[in-house]
Amino acid sequence: MRDPYWNHNTHYHPWLLAQLPATADTALDIGCGDGLLARKLARHCPSVLGVDIDAPVLAGAAPAPNVTYRQADFRYLTGTFDYVTAVATLHHVPVDEGLTALRRLVAPGGTLAVVGLWSMSLRADYDYLLRYPLIRAVDLLYRKSDPPAPTHDPEETLDDIRRSAAEILPGATIRKRLLWRYTLLWHRPASG
């Protein structure tokens, strides 16, 4: 089934779906917006909660079997989930606070998958900026479109995010990706 739109975030939905543990019974999609990823997760997971802090954006979320939507700030959610996703959300809060909340929400043995943005600088990211022609070509090919949602420029550099993740999410892997994004993948130990 084809998505109703494409943007730099939906481009990573296949990666996010590939990280979903086959045994996951519960999933949490943080910053779910119109619920597109939450509905995709629900095809493979019996119970999905989509949360977003923005009520008008969440009001446009299409209902789906196995999906519940809630207006909430993820930092104050309770409970744990087998799979937690956060797409273009983490940079809206201080990184240490956000990563700590994400860690708390992942059930023992669960998985966290983040698609995020970082604050770029010519000095630190010169190699990445060489990818601009490719990024522009992909944008033109897919005709980028974005549903309305609040935006916020990232403040932390990728080095800042890596340092925080090393302390808060030991063993997390972070990779620079195409389209001004990075991915973070973390598996919480079953006993911790």
Side-chain angles (χ1 to χ4, degrees), residues 51-148:
V51 299
D52 203 294
I53 200 165
D54 189 84
V57 170
L58 194 57
N66 306 337
V67 178
T68 302
Y69 298 110
R70 184 185 313 162
Q71 182 187 1
D73 183 326
F74 76 94
R75 295 173 292 175
Y76 307 109
L77 285 177
T78 58
T80 60
F81 301 83
D82 299 321
Y83 186 52
V84 176
T85 63
V87 180
T89 302
L90 186 57
H91 68 281
H92 288 258
V93 300
V95 70
D96 286 352
E97 189 177 335
L99 290 175
T100 299
L102 291 172
R103 180 187 65 208
R104 180 179 42 76
L105 292 166
V106 178
T111 300
L112 169 66
V114 173
V115 175
L117 292 81
W118 75 94
S119 178
M120 292 189 166
S121 72
L122 186 56
R123 183 175 185 204
D125 299 300
Y126 68 91
D127 61 320
Y128 191 85
L129 297 174
L130 297 174
R131 300 176 188 183
Y132 180 76
L134 180 58
I135 294 168
R136 184 69 180 131
V138 170
D139 282 347
L140 292 172
L141 178 67
Y142 288 102
R143 300 179 189 264
K144 180 180 162 202
S145 64
D146 290 307

Side-chain angles (χ1 to χ4, degrees), residues 6 9 14 21 24 26 34 62 83 108 110 112 116 123 126 136 143 154 165-166 168 172 176 180 182 187:
W6 178 91
N9 297 324
T26 58
D34 65 3
Y83 186 52
L112 169 66
R123 183 175 185 204
Y126 68 91
R136 184 69 180 131
R143 300 179 189 264
I168 298 167
K176 278 186 185 179
W180 318 115
Y182 70 86
H187 302 283

Side-chain angles (χ1 to χ4, degrees), residues 12-23:
Y12 289 98
H13 284 185
W15 180 82
L16 290 159
L17 292 170
Q19 309 315 310
L20 175 66
T23 58

Side-chain angles (χ1 to χ4, degrees), residues 144-160:
K144 180 180 162 202
S145 64
D146 290 307
T151 61
H152 177 75
D153 289 333
E155 296 177 13
E156 288 91 6
T157 67
L158 198 54
D159 284 342
D160 294 334

Side-chain angles (χ1 to χ4, degrees), residues 14-65:
W15 180 82
L16 290 159
L17 292 170
Q19 309 315 310
L20 175 66
T23 58
D25 288 325
T26 58
L28 171 64
D29 181 24
I30 297 169
C32 70
D34 65 3
L36 182 60
L37 178 59
R39 293 189 302 276
K40 290 177 183 180
L41 290 168
R43 293 181 202 146
H44 310 281
C45 187
S47 177
V48 178
L49 174 61
V51 299
D52 203 294
I53 200 165
D54 189 84
V57 170
L58 194 57

